[in-house]
Amino acid sequence: MEHSFLAYLRGRCRSLPQVAVGIGDDAAVIQPPQANLIACTDQIIDGVDFDSSEHGYADAGYKAMAINLSDIAAMGAVPKSALVTLALPKPNATRIAGDVYEGILQAASEFQVAIAGGDISTYNGPLSVSITLLGDVPAGDPWLRSGAQENDAVLVTGFVGGSILGRHLRPTPRVDLANRLRELVDVHAAIDISDGLSLDLDRLCAASGVGVELNIPAIPIHDDAIMLAEKSGRTPFEHAWSDGEDFELIMTMSQADADKVLAMDHECEITQIGTILGRTGLWKREAAKLVRLSPQGYVH
């Protein structure tokens, strides 16, 4: 299977200048970046991160690439090349591999990512897709979780909550937006929302040694969270607070830079949801005092 499938892949994958030698050799030869090399990897498994009885394999492939692209966006970086590893169930392995790659190649094409290589194997188990994505930072330093400063504005892209209704399979990585903002303002810290708005925001604050005062009514709740709340018995806010897999960005920057960003038109909504505090934790204001909030989300 592997040799015939590699021939198929060589015919489907675009040649991009960042990869000098790609699929078909013992290892890839990748053009080194001029600045910081950024690397991330993530894996999705059938029955855990998607359900093949309900979702197409192309959606699984797209998600596997998109979640890595979201991590690259959270670093303020540009994606360049990817290594893809598939562990395939033995029944219909070739068909499944082809379907998965349709989604992978679609996401790769949208963001000019070269498939540099990887591995394929079959076994008696569920589909697993693992992607290692390489990128670089065009200028300056990568965004980290640890750079938030007291009095920073906290911004979030898009809308959150309810991704389980299907949005988690085809998220929109904010790569283009992140690189546009890099040219306009000084982002102090960033993280993407994979495990829940509150949990990932708490991780950013913990890494920076700060806290945040949240403007709860400003949190942008997705329509899917409202729909899900009608059946789940939870409120739309609870879904927005903790559902996860939104793959939006949380960013902190000075209030002056935030005002500049908020005054501009972008490819998606950007909302200020709070302000960084010197005291650690997540807080909301009730009357004249701050009340602590508990972060919730998916804990690995």
Side-chain angles (χ1 to χ4, degrees), residues 67-237:
I67 61 179
N68 281 282
L69 287 164
S70 185
D71 284 333
I72 291 288
M75 304 296 288
V78 178
K80 294 293 186 179
S81 57
L83 302 172
V84 178
T85 297
L86 303 184
L88 300 156
K90 286 184 177 179
N92 302 312
T94 300
R95 178 185 63 81
I96 293 170
D99 289 347
V100 170
Y101 254 99
E102 288 303 313
I104 291 173
L105 292 171
Q106 181 184 345
S109 176
E110 289 175 6
F111 293 92
Q112 296 295 295
V113 173
I115 306 299
D119 188 43
I120 298 173
S121 62
T122 61
Y123 76 127
N124 293 317
L127 171 67
S128 170
V129 186
S130 178
I131 294 180
T132 297
L133 190 56
L134 304 177
D136 60 49
V137 178
D141 296 321
W143 299 345
L144 305 178
R145 300 178 181 184
S146 55
Q149 302 172 20
E150 190 172 357
N151 298 319
D152 272 1
V154 179
L155 305 185
V156 65
T157 65
F159 297 84
V160 294
S163 67
I164 193 64
L165 294 185
R167 206 171 72 255
H168 71 103
L169 293 167
R170 297 248 173 190
T172 302
R174 301 302 183 187
V175 173
D176 294 338
L177 175 65
N179 283 279
R180 191 176 311 117
L181 293 180
R182 170 177 283 283
E183 298 176 355
L184 296 171
V185 296
D186 181 14
V187 173
H188 294 160
I191 190 172
D192 81 321
I193 303 173
S194 55
D195 294 329
L197 170 66
S198 62
L199 189 57
D200 288 317
L201 177 56
D202 189 60
R203 288 167 174 162
L204 182 150
C205 289
S208 297
V210 297
V212 58
E213 179 182 342
L214 288 161
N215 179 3
I216 298 297
I219 291 175
I221 299 175
H222 198 281
D223 288 345
D224 287 348
I226 298 171
M227 292 175 57
L228 194 58
E230 294 175 357
K231 301 178 181 179
S232 69
R234 302 169 66 204
T235 67
F237 169 75

Side-chain angles (χ1 to χ4, degrees), residues 17-36:
Q18 56 263 44
V19 176
V21 177
I23 293 171
D25 224 302
D26 288 327
V29 180
I30 298 172
Q31 182 69 33
Q34 300 301 310
N36 289 301

Side-chain angles (χ1 to χ4, degrees), residues 213 284-291:
E213 179 182 342
K284 67 175 180 178
R285 188 168 295 278
E286 289 186 357
K289 67 176 184 176
L290 290 172
V291 176

